[in-house]
Amino acid sequence: MAHPISAFQAAYISIEVLIALVSVPGNILVIWAVKMNQALRDATFCFIVSLAVADVAVGALVIPLAIIINIGPQTEFYTCLMVACPVLILTESSILALLAIAVDRYLRVKIPVRYKSMVTPRRAAVAITCCWIVSFVVGLTPMFGWNNLNKMRRTQELNSSHTGFVITCQFETVISMEYMVYFNFFVWVLPPLLLMLLIYLEVFNLIRKQLNKKVSSSSNDPQKYYGKELKIAKSLALVLFLFALSWLPLHVLNCITLFCPSCQTPHILTYIAIFLTHGNSAMNPIVYAFRIKKFRTAFLQIWNQYFCCKTNKNATSTTTAETGN
């Protein structure tokens, strides 16, 4: 029988629902903008769509599952494990999409002449597919055996052949902290983040060198190209910074849990870290709208074409009907 929801849980659920209501429409708008605007069809924006798909799934799938886990239903071990794994898949997908975006920006400034022949839509699609395959492998690793099943058997002194025992479904109950720290964080989160930091530093270095060269030769076209690249690179680096800012606190708390079992982490810190990870999915469309002109133009075009004009037409029709009566 389910326990009644406490006031604290009700507040948690309300915040999660609010994040989902911002994240899902915002990222659908990003996908919609790329689909309808020809100027947003290059490889970078394909990778941004992949990131947006992961963010939509966070709002539509991960947040509802997180709410279920927070309530703590009684389930079988592997049922709970299936509920916990999607967030691992989507986190890794976001990281790899950000890495692909960073590499793409590097190639645009390193080899601008050969870029279009090297980074074709077909190759971008292959890269996105590979990112998602790796994400599923990394995120589903607990389903393949790296989980807390044996630990729970020993704790509960159950027969080793019995796997269907019922547990209170919590993330830490089924997901191994060794997996979260040694494999997920130290292999698939921290190194890509550090690599992206180095890539963006090199991108900014290359752009500034090129801008200095072009200033001295008074050439306007290359100056315009690299100036535009600098603006976009700054915006995408901001997306990366927000991702790191949102996800690192939770991973730090996981490290504390693993390396200092006696340390008591305040529950409020854990909840704040969880809100940051989920809230990151709602941040990117806001960054695109304020920082990238092509997206801002596309968003306004969608608003004027599908929402604003329809509202005006409906209002005009109503007025006409009333006048006729």
Side-chain angles (χ1 to χ4, degrees):
M1 186 173 176
H3 296 289
I5 296 174
S6 66
F8 188 84
Q9 284 180 315
Y12 165 79
I13 292 170
S14 300
I15 295 172
E16 288 281 39
V17 169
L18 181 62
I19 292 171
L21 290 175
V22 174
S23 176
V24 173
N27 285 287
I28 288 175
L29 189 62
V30 170
I31 298 167
W32 192 355
V34 174
K35 184 178 184 299
M36 70 172 292
N37 194 328
Q38 198 68 33
L40 297 172
R41 295 289 179 84
D42 65 15
T44 300
F45 297 106
C46 291
F47 296 131
I48 287 176
V49 166
S50 179
L51 181 61
V53 168
D55 288 338
V56 168
V58 169
L61 178 64
V62 169
I63 287 178
L65 293 179
I67 291 172
I68 291 172
I69 286 180
N70 181 261
I71 295 171
Q74 298 292 308
T75 67
E76 290 191 350
F77 183 88
Y78 277 100
T79 302
C80 184
L81 200 58
M82 289 176 64
V83 171
C85 282
V87 68
L88 303 174
I89 296 169
L90 296 171
T91 303
E92 192 55 39
S93 172
S94 298
I95 290 170
L96 293 178
L98 289 169
L99 180 58
I101 290 169
V103 172
D104 177 73
R105 302 321 295 182
Y106 174 77
L107 293 175
R108 286 184 72 94
V109 298
K110 183 69 175 178
I111 50 168
V113 177
R114 291 184 292 135
Y115 170 79
K116 286 190 176 180
S117 62
M118 285 192 63
V119 185
T120 61
R122 182 183 178 86
R123 287 176 179 171
V126 170
I128 290 169
T129 303
C130 290
C131 288
W132 277 98
I133 290 172
V134 172
S135 301
F136 271 92
V137 172
V138 173
L140 291 177
T141 296
M143 294 293 296
F144 304 146
W146 198 344
N147 54 54
N148 284 338
L149 180 59
N150 290 331
K151 185 187 293 185
M152 292 198 67
R153 281 179 180 156
R154 289 193 299 270
T155 302
Q156 300 188 19
E157 296 179 352
L158 293 173
N159 189 296
S160 61
S161 64
H162 181 59
T163 60
F165 60 91
V166 174
I167 62 168
T168 299
C169 185
Q170 298 287 339
F171 187 86
E172 296 86 355
T173 304
V174 293
I175 300 292
S176 165
M177 272 300 133
E178 286 81 4
Y179 160 82
M180 285 301 299
V181 173
Y182 293 124
F183 186 68
N184 189 278
F185 182 47
F186 287 168
V187 177
W188 291 104
V189 174
L190 194 57
L193 287 177
L194 293 174
L195 179 59
M196 283 183 267
L197 174 62
L198 294 175
I199 290 173
Y200 275 110
L201 288 174
E202 182 61 17
V203 165
F204 292 133
N205 184 45
L206 288 170
I207 290 174
R208 288 198 170 89
K209 282 182 178 178
Q210 292 298 327
L211 285 174
N212 289 336
K213 284 183 185 177
K214 301 311 172 186
V215 168
S216 62
S217 61
S218 67
S219 177
N220 292 324
D221 288 341
Q223 176 110 4
K224 185 177 178 181
Y225 174 82
Y226 285 105
K228 184 175 70 174
E229 286 300 315
L230 181 61
K231 287 180 181 177
I232 295 177
K234 284 181 178 179
S235 301
L236 296 174
L238 176 60
V239 171
L240 172 61
F241 172 76
L242 291 173
F243 182 89
L245 192 67
S246 300
W247 278 96
L248 286 177
L250 187 61
H251 283 289
V252 169
L253 290 177
N254 288 339
C255 290
I256 293 171
T257 301
L258 179 64
F259 298 128
C260 183
S262 61
C263 298
Q264 294 295 322
T265 304
H267 287 298
I268 189 64
L269 289 182
T270 303
Y271 279 106
I272 290 171
I274 291 170
F275 288 143
L276 282 173
T277 61
H278 294 166
N280 179 251
S281 298
M283 295 176 191
N284 293 342
I286 298 169
V287 173
Y288 303 149
F290 282 97
R291 301 277 307 182
I292 300 179
K293 187 178 179 182
K294 287 181 180 179
F295 267 118
R296 189 162 59 249
T297 303
F299 290 163
L300 288 172
Q301 185 180 348
I302 291 170
W303 171 256
N304 291 329
Q305 186 172 343
Y306 293 97
F307 299 100
C308 183
C309 292
K310 282 190 176 182
T311 304
N312 291 338
K313 283 179 182 177
N314 291 337
T316 304
S317 299
T318 304
T319 305
T320 305
E322 289 175 353
T323 305
N325 292 335

